[in-house]
Each structure stands twice: as structure tokens, then as C-alpha cells.
Amino acid sequence: MARFIFITGGVVSSLGKGLMAASLAALLQARGYRVRIRKFDPYLNVDPGTMSPYQHGEVYVTDDGAETDLDLGHYERFTGVASRQSDNITSGRIYQQIITRERRGDYLGATVQVIPHVTDAIKEFAQAETDDLDFVLCEIGGTVGDIESLPFIEAIRQLRNDLGRGNSVSIHVTLVPYIAAAGELKTKPTQHSVRELAALGVQPDVLVCRCEQPLPESERAKIALFCNVPKTAVIPALDAKSIYAVPVQYHHEGLDDAVLNAFGILPGSAPDLSRWTDIMDRLTNPEGEVTIGVVGKYVGLQDAYKSLNEALVHGGIANKVKVNVEWIDAELFEGPDSDIAARLEPMHAILVPGAFGERGAEGKIASVRFAREREIPYFGICFGMQMACVEGARDLAGIADASSTEFGPTDEPVVGMITEWMTAEGVQKREAGGDLGGTMRLGAYAAKLDGNSVVSTIYGDTDISERHRHRYEVNTAYREVLEKGGLVFSGMSPDGMLPEIVERPDHPWFVGVQFHPELKSKPFDPHPLFASFVAAAVKQSRLV
Ligand code: GLN
């Protein structure tokens, strides 16, 4: 039977609970344990798919097509374990299920209540498909004391009882603020937060204390005393210089030992952390650096491009270089006083990432043109591939009105909405004017690459599978004219209907992909497209 680790946060949000969960899972994995991490989100959206990236950061897509919290991206990047729909639940999804059952009459006349119906659903979710695991880590979103997280904390309380003593551990992540005027770290917020959690019936076993200054032994002892945990279970967590330094740092602070001790497991020999020390070695001793311009829309908030940012870092790890990312607002390149040359000339490579809606599209098309004409490496992801096709149609095939139906009706739909496509489960259909939630081509789809293409060399394969999240597709009716203009369709869906990859063989590096390769990149296994793109940027940096 799997053991459970429940992770809650206190005092303030944004303490890096997700990263903590991912790092702990990586440490347990490095000791040979089988792990899976799950995220419980207390908000009422059914999933984050319809939430603005400004509100919630990136939507992370799993192989099985779930639109999930970005923390699941951390989980995958740190453990290599592919997340699934069943690893992310929201209050909204739970209520949706319960209300559907209630309408069907499944509750046989009973009054449907938070306890036991909602809490039972949470417990079921936590325990589903866990037989082949040693540890299941469950991260509860939000902060203890929030009204909406109460049913989750209550479910944990019950589950800890159901599982029996010794089969679960509660970790509480808190803040120990530094008050500069007093020159002191303050433990009181942590004491209050633990008291709040304990009042809900959950006594934490391990405390992870985020702090900006080293936590003196005296303060560690004080927290242990007031919060009812052993001193060795009070883990100081200072800011790390890279997120990939966190697993080793937590290990040195004794996190994995404290957790195993709390389970009554003798920690045994030290975990093998060479994977993480190698990564940090490459990150801290780069042999060069490159600057990549990302021309996007949500550039004010980097969480909106979390996986992309990480995949670029991984490309740097693969090439032993530091990757500087310049986030550039595409709208700067629209209108008469666009300073595109001044902004993009210093870039060693240009990337246009995924996006929704027309705003900034012209600026992105101008960036594609700039990269193509100046022979600067170009990587177009999803929307970035679509705009590369529009640019090719307008500038090389003479189709001045080339556009995407995403921007409204057009006579030249180089990019258009597909309402029918094939999946392993059969034909999928969408209504053009249907719901926005959960109606995209989502999740892993296979693609066939042309054996003579640049991308098949990059992948070292002609059969790939990548994750999708989009409504529109490049229209194969334009394939011939686009290919005449040098934009080759080098990857297609297995039935040959949907373009998956386009490339310009006559350009130093020009690739557009309909999927999101950044979702599958890992620091210890950089995605081949990102490794190759950063290598092209390194080449470019030697030219300028
Ligand atoms: N908006 C485009 C579509 O829906 C691209 C989406 C994306 O870049 N993820 O097809």
C-alpha cells in the first residue's frame, strides 16, 4: 500500500509548495522509491483551462489531454513521471461530479453534504490508482485558513485516520519573515499557522520554513517547541539560485530524512543525487551565453510561459551555455514606429510561443519575417507555427490576405478551425461555436516525420508523440503554395490530414510545430528541439 504525504501551506501564498513537493519526490525517487504527485486546487473552476494566464499562469497539458495547474509541470520536470488527469482535482470538478450524480438520483434521497460527500470524493481522488506506488504526495493549493480549502483539510484529517498511524505524513510549508528593523527572523506567523492547521485536526510532522536569512539553531528549537515537532523536522528553506538546486539543498537541510523518520522508516544509505549535481554543474559553469527573444503576448508574467522558460534553460543545459531570455511584447512591432530591427537584431534566436486571439498577431508575423529574411534561428510553437505559415503565404506566395479564422472570417484561411479529427478513441467532433472549456485538440497525438527532414534528424526518429492544446490548424489546402515558397510540411498526423511541423530547409534553423514540445522537456532530458534550437543560437552568436 502506498504511503501518503500531505503538503499544505501557511502564512502567505507563493511559498514554492509545488517546487517543494517536486523536490521531495525527486529525493525519494533518488532513494529508489516509486512516487506520484497530485495537486488539489480549492477553486471552483472545473479546470484551469479557461483561466487567464495572468490569473493563473500557464495551463499545463498532460498526455491524456487534461488541462492542469502549472505545478504539475514542475512535478514532471523533477520526477520524469508523466502526469495524468487523475493527478489534478479542483473543487469545481468535485462539485460538478456530485451535482451530476445528485441529478441522476444516485444518492437515493439522501441530503448531499460537504461531509461526507465532498470529503469522500476528495479521499477517493487521493487514493485512486496508487497500488504500484511507494509514496503519493498530495499538495493542497491555497493557504491554511482559506474558506475554500477547508473541505480538503478535513478530507486529509479523515484520510490520515483511515490510513492508520504511520502511513501518512503532513508537511506544512510556512514563512519565517526577516524584520530588517529588528534584525530578526520571526517565528510567530509559523506558530499561528500551525495552530490553525492543528485546530482543524491536522498536526504537521515536518515544517518547511521559507526564510531569506539562515535560520539560527535557537529559532529552529523555538519553532520545534511551540509547533510540537522534533527539531530535526524543522527544515530551513532559503531561496535557491536555481530551482534545480532545490532538491540537493533540501537534502542537505534534512528534508528527506525527516520525512522518512516521520514514517518510522530508517533512511538507510544516501540518495543518488548525481543527476542534480550534474545539472547544477552545467548551470553554474556555462561555457558561453546566448540571448533568445521570445515575442509573445503575456510577457508581463513569466508564469504564463513557465514550461517554455524551463525548456529554454534545458536547451542551455544540453549545450553548456547560459540562455538569457528577453520577453518582448509583440505589439511593439505593430504600426509605423515599430523598432523591430533595433529590438531583434541583437537576438541570437527568435521564438514565437503559443497564444490565443488576434492581439499582437501582426507583430508576431513581422518577427517571423525578420527572422526569415535575416537568417536568424526561428522557432514557432503552436500559434508561432500558424503565424509562420501566414507569413509564408503573404510574403512568399503572394496571398496578401492570408489569415487565421481565429481572427474572424477570411477569404484566405491559411489557418482554420478543424471540427473533426481522429484520435485513438475514434472521430472527435467540435461545434464551431461551442463551449470554450475543454473543447480543444488536447493531449498527446502521434506525428509522422519526413525521413529527409531537419526535424527527423533532430529527433533521431520519424515517429513522435507530442502534446497539443489548440483549436485551429494549418490548412492543407495551402500546402502546395507554401512549399513552393520554401516552407516544407515535414511532420503530419499519421492520417496525413493535419500539419504538425513545418520547416525551411534553406534557412539556418526555422521550425514551426503545432504542438507544445516545452511540456515534455526535462532538465535531465532536454527536449531535442530545444537542444537543437539553442545550439543554432550558439552558432548564430559566433556570427554576430
Ligand atoms: N490560438 C491558436 C489555436 O487555438 C493557437 C493555440 C496555441 O498556441 N496554443 O489554434
Side-chain angles (χ1 to χ4, degrees):
M1 190 185 82
R3 294 177 165 94
F4 284 77
I5 300 172
F6 299 109
I7 300 158
T8 52
V11 184
V12 291
S13 57
S14 304
L15 287 178
K17 267 188 317 219
L19 213 50
M20 195 289 335
S23 301
L24 175 59
L27 291 175
L28 293 169
Q29 221 180 22
R31 290 176 181 272
Y33 293 113
R34 295 160 304 171
V35 297
R36 180 166 284 282
I37 318 177
R38 295 195 152 151
K39 178 82 192 273
F40 301 61
D41 279 313
Y43 51 72
L44 288 176
N45 301 63
V46 172
D47 63 40
T50 54
M51 284 157 97
S52 157
Y54 281 117
Q55 287 261 329
H56 199 256
E58 139 187 299
V59 174
Y60 188 78
V61 180
T62 59
D63 278 334
D64 61 357
E67 298 180 277
T68 68
D69 187 80
L70 58 74
D71 274 326
L72 275 82
H74 285 313
Y75 304 165
E76 266 202 55
R77 282 188 284 276
F78 278 69
T79 63
V81 176
S83 305
R84 304 192 281 236
Q85 170 74 72
S86 52
D87 294 324
N88 190 198
I89 194 94
T90 68
S91 294
R93 187 177 291 277
I94 290 173
Y95 278 94
Q96 190 188 44
Q97 266 173 19
I98 290 177
I99 290 169
T100 309
R101 283 189 207 159
E102 186 273 336
R103 291 289 82 184
R104 254 197 333 245
D106 289 0
Y107 294 104
L108 302 172
T111 309
V112 183
Q113 293 179 297
V114 172
I115 305 172
H117 299 101
V118 172
T119 45
D120 279 354
I122 297 171
K123 291 197 286 183
E124 251 170 57
F125 160 73
Q127 291 178 285
E129 299 170 48
T130 54
D131 289 346
D132 57 344
L133 298 169
D134 297 309
F135 291 101
V136 182
L137 292 83
C138 299
E139 179 193 348
I140 321 296
T143 307
V144 166
D146 295 347
I147 288 178
E148 50 183 15
S149 64
L150 283 173
F152 290 91
I153 308 284
E154 168 60 15
I156 295 179
R157 185 193 68 75
Q158 295 178 16
L159 196 49
R160 296 198 71 183
N161 222 14
D162 302 348
L163 291 166
R165 301 276 165 244
N167 292 322
S168 78
V169 156
S170 155
I171 304 181
H172 193 51
V173 185
T174 75
L175 178 70
V176 180
Y178 179 71
I179 306 295
E184 280 177 24
L185 284 163
K186 292 294 180 190
T187 66
K188 196 68 89 190
T190 296
Q191 296 178 37
H192 280 300
S193 184
V194 169
R195 193 174 303 161
E196 179 117 32
L197 186 58
L200 299 171
V202 178
Q203 164 64 43
D205 304 293
V206 176
L207 296 175
V208 173
C209 301
R210 294 297 313 276
C211 43
E212 281 171 57
Q213 302 277 334
L215 190 66
E217 280 305 299
S218 58
E219 300 311 288
R220 208 173 164 184
K222 193 164 153 189
I223 293 173
L225 175 69
F226 283 105
C227 298
N228 206 15
V229 296
K231 196 171 136 200
T232 49
V234 178
I235 310 296
L238 274 96
D239 291 344
K241 55 177 183 278
S242 154
I243 57 171
Y244 301 121
V246 174
V248 172
Q249 186 175 323
Y250 275 138
H251 173 66
H252 287 312
E253 297 292 1
L255 176 65
D256 43 332
D257 279 356
V259 169
L260 292 173
N261 278 329
F263 277 113
I265 300 171
L266 284 178
S269 55
D272 175 10
L273 297 178
S274 51
R275 169 185 270 191
W276 300 103
T277 46
D278 284 354
I279 290 167
M280 281 316 295
D281 197 43
R282 282 170 174 257
L283 284 175
T284 36
N285 305 303
E287 289 166 5
E289 56 185 278
V290 294
T291 303
I292 295 180
V294 176
V295 184
K297 182 165 153 186
Y298 317 105
V299 291
L301 180 78
Q302 288 188 17
D303 265 3
Y305 298 114
K306 191 91 215 154
S307 296
L308 176 67
N309 193 32
E310 295 311 319
L312 287 167
V313 172
H314 306 163
I317 293 174
N319 290 280
K320 283 200 175 168
V321 293
K322 177 166 190 276
V323 176
N324 303 309
V325 180
E326 286 222 12
W327 303 93
I328 305 169
D329 182 352
E331 284 181 285
L332 293 176
F333 303 151
E334 296 178 352
D337 34 52
S338 153
D339 58 349
I340 190 161
R343 282 298 267 133
L344 293 186
E345 243 159 26
M347 299 300 128
H348 302 131
I350 295 168
L351 188 152
V352 173
F356 291 84
E358 190 170 13
R359 189 164 61 80
E362 290 303 323
K364 293 173 193 175
I365 293 168
S367 307
V368 176
R369 183 179 306 126
F370 189 86
R372 179 178 57 74
E373 289 178 347
R374 301 292 185 101
E375 304 207 322
I376 300 172
Y378 175 78
F379 196 2
I381 295 181
C382 204
F383 196 74
M385 162 178 170
Q386 297 174 355
M387 293 308 105
C389 293
V390 171
E391 192 276 337
R394 286 188 192 172
D395 298 338
L396 296 172
I399 307 170
D401 293 334
S403 185
S404 165
T405 56
E406 183 171 6
F407 312 150
T410 168
D411 291 338
E412 300 288 359
V414 171
V415 181
M417 181 178 286
I418 291 273
T419 49
E420 251 184 62
W421 67 87
M422 271 312 270
T423 67
E425 284 79 45
V427 180
Q428 294 282 311
K429 288 196 176 150
R430 295 286 182 268
E431 292 295 327
D435 282 357
L436 288 185
T439 54
M440 286 188 262
R441 180 146 88 99
L442 280 168
Y445 283 85
K448 284 245 176 264
L449 311 187
D450 175 346
N452 297 316
S453 60
V454 174
V455 283
S456 67
T457 312
I458 293 174
Y459 274 98
D461 208 338
T462 52
D463 288 297
I464 62 164
S465 168
E466 293 280 3
R467 296 183 193 166
H468 289 248
R469 180 172 188 254
H470 55 105
R471 269 188 201 95
Y472 300 86
E473 307 276 352
V474 172
N475 187 343
T476 45
Y478 290 86
R479 178 171 184 170
E480 213 180 302
V481 283
L482 286 171
E483 290 200 329
K484 271 196 194 127
L487 192 62
V488 174
F489 286 43
S490 52
M492 299 293 289
S493 56
D495 62 3
M497 300 292 285
L498 304 173
E500 294 278 3
I501 305 183
V502 295
E503 63 183 48
R504 289 193 175 278
D506 61 351
H507 186 281
W509 205 100
F510 191 108
V511 175
V513 295
Q514 187 55 74
F515 45 81
H516 289 277
E518 70 273 25
L519 300 175
K520 285 175 57 165
S521 188
K522 309 196 173 61
F524 43 84
D525 185 16
H527 192 286
L529 284 171
F530 281 91
S532 174
F533 178 57
V534 172
V538 172
K539 246 195 203 158
Q540 177 72 11
S541 73
R542 301 206 174 109
L543 298 176
V544 291

